Amino acid sequence: MRLVKEAQRPAKETVKAGLPLKRTVVRLNKSAPPIERHLMSGTNKAIEASEASVTGKASANSLCFIIDKDFIFRQGLAAELRRTGTDIVELSAPTRLLEMVENQNPDMVLINVDRSSPHECIRALLVLKDCGYKGVVQLFGNGDVGGLDSLNLVGSDCALTMLEPLQKPIKAATLHRIIRERKLGSGLPAAEGITLAEALARDLVTFLYQPKFDLKARNLVIGAEAMARVNHPRLGLLTPDCFLKGADQDDLLNLSNHALVNAARSSLHFQELGLAMQISINVGVENLLALPIDDIVSRYRPERDDWGGVLLEVTSRQLMNKSGALKSVAAKLTEAGVPIAIDNFGIGVIQFDVLNRIACAEVKIDRSLVEGCANDATKLRICKSIIQIAHNFGSKAVAVGVANEADLDALATFGCDLAQGYLFGKPMSVQQIDALIAQSRLGPKSAA
């Protein structure tokens, strides 16, 4: 979502001109009472309290990825490590490593070096470099020591934290000692919780929405970013950090499918109220390519075009690394009314030619640049440049993580189109957004 990324995630909002829709406006001007802030803070108290209680007592074990195409060895090692309290994700190849690392941020990545295909190890190391991975990397294999050492140097050149290579077969006790000595994870027993697979099987996954505002239409609420939660019957509302660790590829694909269906239904709900609300979700490129997105959306899309629809947010790193594969389906998605947004823009290496190859409806400025930009000349210059770049490529510029009016005013001055963040409200239910809109209809509607 980051589907899994916390309140960093995404939403796209473009209300089509000339449509016979009721326009509900939430004002942020100085003369009108701050309706939306008062209402949102009230409707989110229960959510804040629930999330605070959960995250306050959650302590996760270390999380390790094992990449090895030898299923029997991989499964046996994983089972032993799980018995020591370590969360494990098994991968047969580094194909989806980028997406998985961005979603789950493991403490350790173990990579088998196959003598017949050492390029697979190099491929995994380069992916970790692109992710800016900060955990530790453990190579192992049954090849010669010199070959393992050479690949370790490749990892070091990629600015990765490389451990001394191990000869295969490796023992779980050895890895457990490394985890303990390096204090990976919390080192504490895991808090009582639930896995993503179990949450999906028990239909406990739900979604909250962070509203998005159109800064050029007097702060019109035109969309929302969907954020996954688990509504546990005893533990309350759980955030992704409590249920995503250890999720495998199939579980994450299932969650993406769940999010897509939910977003389409929610957008239809708002359309039936006369509102063109676009709902955005975070989705990894691999899941985007695997899901029949146009078919899923078509089941819920009304015959009329007066609905906000669904926006797919892809991180800038994935867009760069998977632009070739994504380009093949981008046109089909656009025809189906499902545009793409580029998330986390402005961090890491950016290849601007990607925006030439993939049409993006929105460019979302990373929150690390937005927060405090009013008082940081460097951040402000970067934000201004990103806004100009977005407009040059025919995209809307979206500020993520707006937390104060000074930052909002500074961004609006440079022509930023949309904004979301705690200044406007924390993630809320569809019903709470309904209440927000209904309440705003009772307040002043005149422009400042």
Side-chain angles (χ1 to χ4, degrees):
M1 22 187 108
R2 190 143 21 263
L3 202 98
V4 264
K5 274 188 319 191
E6 237 342 277
Q8 300 134 294
R9 299 275 232 342
K12 158 106 182 167
E13 350 325 68
T14 23
V15 178
K16 300 175 184 177
L19 295 176
L21 294 176
K22 303 171 188 175
R23 298 220 163 187
T24 302
V25 179
V26 178
R27 307 292 182 185
L28 293 179
N29 58 62
K30 303 286 193 285
S31 59
I35 298 168
E36 80 300 325
R37 261 173 253 169
H38 291 166
L39 181 60
M40 287 184 182
S41 61
T43 54
N44 281 283
K45 285 180 180 178
I47 295 173
E48 283 188 69
S50 175
E51 293 189 1
S53 65
V54 172
T55 56
K57 62 182 180 182
S59 57
N61 284 345
S62 57
L63 172 63
C64 295
F65 284 10
I66 302 177
I67 305 175
D68 191 343
K69 67 180 181 181
D70 184 340
F71 172 78
I72 295 176
F73 176 81
R74 186 183 75 235
Q75 191 176 58
L77 179 60
E80 288 187 51
L81 286 171
R82 289 189 181 105
R83 283 195 287 271
T84 67
T86 303
D87 292 321
I88 301 295
V89 170
E90 300 176 48
L91 301 170
S92 60
T95 308
R96 299 182 62 188
L97 184 59
L98 177 67
E99 175 186 347
M100 301 287 283
V101 169
E102 288 189 338
N103 282 342
Q104 302 193 50
N105 191 28
D107 301 293
M108 175 189 285
V109 176
L110 294 98
I111 306 173
N112 176 53
V113 179
D114 192 326
R115 284 180 296 182
S116 64
S117 54
H119 60 277
E120 287 293 301
C121 174
I122 296 175
R123 179 185 177 192
L125 295 173
L126 293 176
V127 168
L128 294 175
K129 175 187 176 183
D130 289 340
C131 290
Y133 177 61
K134 301 302 181 184
V136 298
V137 180
Q138 177 70 70
L139 300 186
F140 65 95
N142 51 16
D144 63 279
V145 175
L148 290 173
D149 287 339
S150 296
L151 289 171
N152 235 41
L153 287 175
V154 173
S156 297
D157 289 342
C158 291
L160 299 172
T161 302
M162 305 297 296
L163 303 180
E164 185 177 348
L166 297 174
Q167 283 290 322
K168 193 175 183 180
I170 55 178
K171 297 181 179 179
T174 301
L175 296 175
H176 185 59
R177 174 180 53 78
I178 294 172
I179 291 170
R180 185 178 64 252
E181 290 177 351
R182 288 187 165 265
K183 299 179 180 179
L184 302 179
S186 66
L188 300 173
E192 192 176 17
I194 189 171
T195 65
L196 175 58
E198 183 183 357
L200 289 166
R202 294 172 58 185
D203 197 24
L204 299 179
V205 174
T206 187
F207 294 88
L208 298 181
Y209 303 85
Q210 187 169 52
K212 282 176 70 175
F213 291 77
D214 187 335
L215 302 182
K216 295 183 176 180
R218 304 185 186 279
N219 299 315
L220 179 72
V221 183
I222 60 170
E225 175 187 349
M227 301 176 183
R229 299 289 188 270
V230 165
N231 191 9
H232 197 282
R234 187 161 43 82
L235 300 177
L237 200 64
L238 304 181
T239 52
D241 58 300
C242 298
F243 59 84
L244 278 185
K245 268 200 169 184
D248 64 22
Q249 299 175 19
D250 290 339
D251 293 337
L252 293 173
L253 180 63
N254 195 353
L255 180 60
S256 292
N257 180 75
H258 204 63
L260 181 61
V261 171
N262 176 81
R265 285 175 173 169
S266 298
S267 186
L268 180 59
H269 162 81
F270 289 114
Q271 186 269 341
E272 290 170 348
L273 296 179
L275 302 167
M277 290 277 285
Q278 188 175 52
I279 306 299
S280 67
I281 63 170
N282 290 106
V283 59
V285 172
E286 294 292 342
N287 288 346
L288 187 157
L289 296 173
L291 289 171
I293 293 175
D294 51 338
D295 292 337
I296 294 172
V297 172
S298 66
R299 295 176 201 164
Y300 302 95
R301 181 180 184 130
E303 292 183 7
R304 296 157 51 194
D305 288 332
D306 58 347
W307 79 312
V310 178
L311 177 72
L312 304 177
E313 296 188 1
V314 179
T315 65
S316 57
R317 286 195 186 102
Q318 289 197 24
L319 198 63
M320 283 192 299
N321 286 279
K322 301 284 187 176
S323 61
L326 187 56
K327 185 177 181 179
S328 65
V329 300
K332 188 176 181 180
L333 290 174
T334 300
E335 288 178 10
V338 186
I340 294 172
I342 180 169
D343 198 14
N344 304 130
F345 198 87
I347 59 173
V349 179
I350 300 297
Q351 296 177 359
F352 294 107
D353 66 312
V354 169
L355 291 171
N356 255 334
R357 287 181 272 141
I358 305 293
C360 294
E362 291 181 0
V363 173
K364 303 194 76 174
I365 308 171
D366 190 76
R367 63 173 57 246
S368 64
L369 297 171
V370 170
E371 293 173 348
C373 67
N375 298 312
D376 187 317
T378 300
K379 284 186 177 182
L380 197 57
R381 282 195 299 271
I382 295 173
C383 288
K384 180 182 179 181
S385 297
I386 293 174
I387 292 169
Q388 292 173 339
I389 289 168
H391 292 166
N392 288 342
F393 283 96
S395 307
K396 288 186 179 294
V398 185
V400 177
V402 178
N404 60 70
E405 291 194 22
D407 292 342
L408 180 67
D409 291 342
L411 293 163
T413 299
F414 292 127
C416 189
D417 302 285
L418 309 172
Q420 65 183 89
Y422 284 2
L423 176 65
F424 308 105
K426 293 189 177 183
M428 60 185 69
S429 69
V430 168
Q431 292 74 22
Q432 288 168 329
I433 291 182
D434 288 346
L436 167 67
I437 294 173
Q439 180 64 31
S440 70
R441 288 172 176 166
L442 303 177
K445 300 289 199 313
S446 59

